[in-house]
């Protein structure tokens, strides 16, 4: 949700600091007062294209700062700042870190949907409409979608493997000879996994044989000498055992020291054993150095690590294996791809059926809300069309398109091609209202939603917006007093001289604004009517 925005030098707005309700925020004001400037500021925070002409006349730049709460874990909020300069440059920061406009659009911008203008309508994208249908399906689609995702990933890997083997098959004579050389060079050394690390350890032990012997002798004397730790511990244990005959609590101390004695004896034996096995061996040291040098030669050529050397060996072996018998490898890869295709077809058809089965009830639910909004004989259909297998993608095997019929005698056409701004806003309101809690979260900004609306429809529109605000943050620009009084917060945009001022109104100030909306002027009659309207909410 959008918590607050600060605007500087956008159109006629010199300075504005605006807070929004978590529920329904209404924005009102006379025509030409500057509501468009407020929407332009929101668009900048959504990552939309900037326009230097939107900068206030006489100023070199404009800036919008907003605080968003994008999830329940986002306790401190996410701070977004967008600056637009006269030279056309746009600077964006999120929580103090510079980001691109694209990153802003793909991040914070996805949390806000602007409903009402075709060019800014994210909800018209087929992928978003598919996501809305899936939200309607709820838990019924989760299992089939997970199974499809797994099958799609397996099919993608199988196709990559077949392509890789075909590339190997087409290896020319030079590539084959190079693979033979690589394999021969590495096999001459015949490295084993983990051997290089063991060689380095053994070489280090040989180099430090004298130090090891000296320190081991010290350990042995300290632990097992005539007056070493084991002798002293034994004497202490004996004394504690005598004391335990007088006071049993001393027995616990004796047991504790006994454990220490066992540990000291074990350490002494282990160190002595290692020392007996060690000792500097010039011949052994020379063998180790030669072996290490051979490994390092391989790493210089194929490394820089032994893992990359082993990878080069495996790749060379595979080139030669495929060159010798490519048909078998290709047949195996083709069989794996065919199996993956069959699994994908099965899971894709299952996912398709869930979506197709749900599309009717989804469209019907949207239609019920559209009827409440008294949209006449208009209707929405949700078409789920299966795509050719080669066009199946991560989203699934189908394409979803919202089709709109403006009237009973008119044909269906894609919503994005036929609806006016007002119709589009109301259809999207109906979609979101029908989904309700299934699509909870996010911010919806409605513009032009009350175009051509009045009377009873205005009341229905206000009711639906209120219902939607229980599951979403809703911001609506309106000219209807019936909608204005339904808001949890009410912002008024007014022009004062050469400036646009945005203020949140409550109490008498809100009553006066509603009175203006009702009658075009504030008088005793309009104030009385406004008070009644506000009291009915």
């Amino acid at each position: 949700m959008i918590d607050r925005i600060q605007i500087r030098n956008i159109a006629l707005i010199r300075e504005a600091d605006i807070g929004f309700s978590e529920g329904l925020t209404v924005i009102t004001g006379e025509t030409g007062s500057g509501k468009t400037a407020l929407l332009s500021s929101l668009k900048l925070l959504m990552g939309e294209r900037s326009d230097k002409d939107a900068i206030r006349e006489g100023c070199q730049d404009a800036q919008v700062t907003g605080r968003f709460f994008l999830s329940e874990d986002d306790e401190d909020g996410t701070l977004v700042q967008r600056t637009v300069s006269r030279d056309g440059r746009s600077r964006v920061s999120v929580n103090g870190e510079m980001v691109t406009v694209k990153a802003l659009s793909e991040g914070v911008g996805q949390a806000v949907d602007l409903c009402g203008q075709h060019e800014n309508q994210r909800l018209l994208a087929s992928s978003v409409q598919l996501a809305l249908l899936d939200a309607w399906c709820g838990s019924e689609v989760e299992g089939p979608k997970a199974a499809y995702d797994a099958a799609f990933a397996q099919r993608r890997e199988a196709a990559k493997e077949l392509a890789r083997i075909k590339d190997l098959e087409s290896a020319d004579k030079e590539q084959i000879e190079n693979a033979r050389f690589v394999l021969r060079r590495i096999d001459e050394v015949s490295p084993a996994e983990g051997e290089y690390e063991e060689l380095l350890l053994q070489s280090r032990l040989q180099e430090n044989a004298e130090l090891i012997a000296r320190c081991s002798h010290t350990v042995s004397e300290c632990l097992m000498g005539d007056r070493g730790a084991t002798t002293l511990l034994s004497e202490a244990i004996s004394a504690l055992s005598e004391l335990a005959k007088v006071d049993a609590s001393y027995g616990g101390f004796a047991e504790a020291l006994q454990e220490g004695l066992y540990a000291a004896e074990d350490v002494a034996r282990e160190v002595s054993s290692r020392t007996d096995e060690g000792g500097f061996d010039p011949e052994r040291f020379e063998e180790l150095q030669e072996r290490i040098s051979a490994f390092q030669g391989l790493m210089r050529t194929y490394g820089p690590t032994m893992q990359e050397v082993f990878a080069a060996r495996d790749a060379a072996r595979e080139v030669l294996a495929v060159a010798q018998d490519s048909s078998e490898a290709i047949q195996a890869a083709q069989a794996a791809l065919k199996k993956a295709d069959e699994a994908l077809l099965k899971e894709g058809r299952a996912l398709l059926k869930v979506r197709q089965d749900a599309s009717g009830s989804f469209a019907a639910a949207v239609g019920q809300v559209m009827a409440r909004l008294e949209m006449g004989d208009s209707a929405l259909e949700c078409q789920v069309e299966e795509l050719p297998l080669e066009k199946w993608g991560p989203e699934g095997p189908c394409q979803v398109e919202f089709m709109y019929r403006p009237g009973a005698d008119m044909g269906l056409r894609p919503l994005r091609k036929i609806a006016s701004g007002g119709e589009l806003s109301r259809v999207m309101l109906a979609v979101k209202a029908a989904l309700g809690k299934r699509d909870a979260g996010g911010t919806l900004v409605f513009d032009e939603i009350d175009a051509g609306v009045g009377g009873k429809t205005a009341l229905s529109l206000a009711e639906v917006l209120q219902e939607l605000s229980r599951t979403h943050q809703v911001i609506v620009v309106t000219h209807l007093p019936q909608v204005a009084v339904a808001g949890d917060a009410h912002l008024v945009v007014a022009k004062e001289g050469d400036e646009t001022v945005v203020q949140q109104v409550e109490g008498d100030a809100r009553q006066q604004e509603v009175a203006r909306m009702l009658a075009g002027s504030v008088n005793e009659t309009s104030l009385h009517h406004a008070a009644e309207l506000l009291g009915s909410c």
Side-chain angles (χ1 to χ4, degrees), residues 26 40 73 86 116 121 132 155 250 254 259 303 309 368 386 403 440 451 454 473:
V26 296
S40 296
D73 299 329
R86 283 281 178 197
Q121 187 56 279
L132 291 172
R155 198 268 175 192
Y250 285 100
E259 292 299 320
V309 172
Q368 289 177 0
E386 182 177 0
M403 305 295 289
Q473 181 186 39

Side-chain angles (χ1 to χ4, degrees), residues 14 29 218 228 349 365 461 474:
R14 185 186 299 276
T218 300
R349 297 279 164 72
L461 177 61
V474 180

Side-chain angles (χ1 to χ4, degrees), residues 35 58 95 192 194 221 263 287 310 338 340 383 408 487 522 528:
K35 297 186 292 294
N95 288 333
E221 284 298 312
E287 290 175 0
F310 293 135
K338 182 180 178 182
Q383 288 189 356
V522 179
H528 178 71

Side-chain angles (χ1 to χ4, degrees), residues 142-372:
E142 291 175 1
K145 183 60 169 64
Y148 174 85
D149 289 344
F152 182 78
Q154 186 175 4
R155 198 268 175 192
R156 183 171 51 197
E157 290 302 314
K160 285 171 60 178
E161 178 65 10
L162 177 58
R164 189 180 66 82
I165 291 175
K166 285 185 175 181
D167 285 342
L168 291 174
E169 181 193 27
S170 62
D172 57 28
K173 185 176 180 181
E174 183 178 350
Q175 290 174 305
I176 293 171
E177 286 303 315
N178 182 63
R180 287 197 180 106
F181 175 79
V182 170
L183 192 58
R184 184 167 58 251
R185 174 82 188 279
I186 296 176
D187 284 349
E188 283 175 356
V189 179
S190 189
E193 291 278 356
E195 183 184 358
Y196 181 63
E197 291 76 15
E198 180 63 24
L199 289 170
L200 293 177
L201 173 60
Q202 293 300 322
S203 176
R204 191 162 58 249
L205 292 176
Q206 284 287 314
E207 288 177 326
N208 293 278
E210 183 179 345
L211 172 65
I212 293 170
R214 184 173 69 252
C215 291
S216 297
H217 177 73
T218 300
V219 171
S220 181
E221 284 298 312
C222 289
L223 294 178
M224 303 296 289
D226 291 341
R227 297 300 292 170
T230 54
T231 299
L232 295 175
L233 283 170
S234 295
E235 292 177 2
I237 292 168
S238 178
L240 287 169
S241 297
E242 288 297 318
L243 286 172
K245 295 175 182 178
V246 178
D247 183 348
S249 64
Y250 285 100
F253 299 140
E255 291 175 2
L257 288 186
Q258 187 66 54
E259 292 299 320
L261 176 59
Y262 293 151
E265 290 174 343
D266 288 343
V267 169
R269 280 193 295 269
E270 182 65 25
V271 170
S272 177
S273 173
R274 292 192 180 189
T275 305
D276 293 341
E277 295 173 359
F280 181 70
D281 183 343
E283 291 184 4
R284 173 60 176 157
F285 183 67
E286 184 176 352
E287 290 175 0
L288 289 169
Q289 293 305 303
E290 289 178 358
R291 186 74 175 153
I292 289 171
S293 178
F295 272 70
Q296 290 174 342
L298 292 178
M299 287 189 287
R300 281 193 298 271
T301 305
Y302 308 109
T305 68
M306 284 305 300
Q307 290 305 314
E308 288 164 310
V309 172
F310 293 135
R313 181 179 63 185
D314 293 342
R317 284 175 176 171
E318 190 169 30
V319 168
L320 295 175
V322 173
Q324 291 171 1
D325 191 5
S326 61
S327 60
E328 184 177 342
I330 288 177
Q331 286 176 4
Q334 288 174 333
L337 180 59
K338 182 180 178 182
K339 184 177 180 181
D341 278 338
E342 291 172 353
L344 182 62
L345 279 169
K346 175 186 174 184
E347 303 302 344
R349 297 279 164 72
L351 177 58
L352 178 68
K353 186 176 187 305
V354 170
R355 287 171 172 168
Q356 288 178 332
D357 289 348
S359 63
S361 61
F362 174 61
V366 174
Q368 289 177 0
V369 182
M370 289 170 63
R372 289 179 59 191

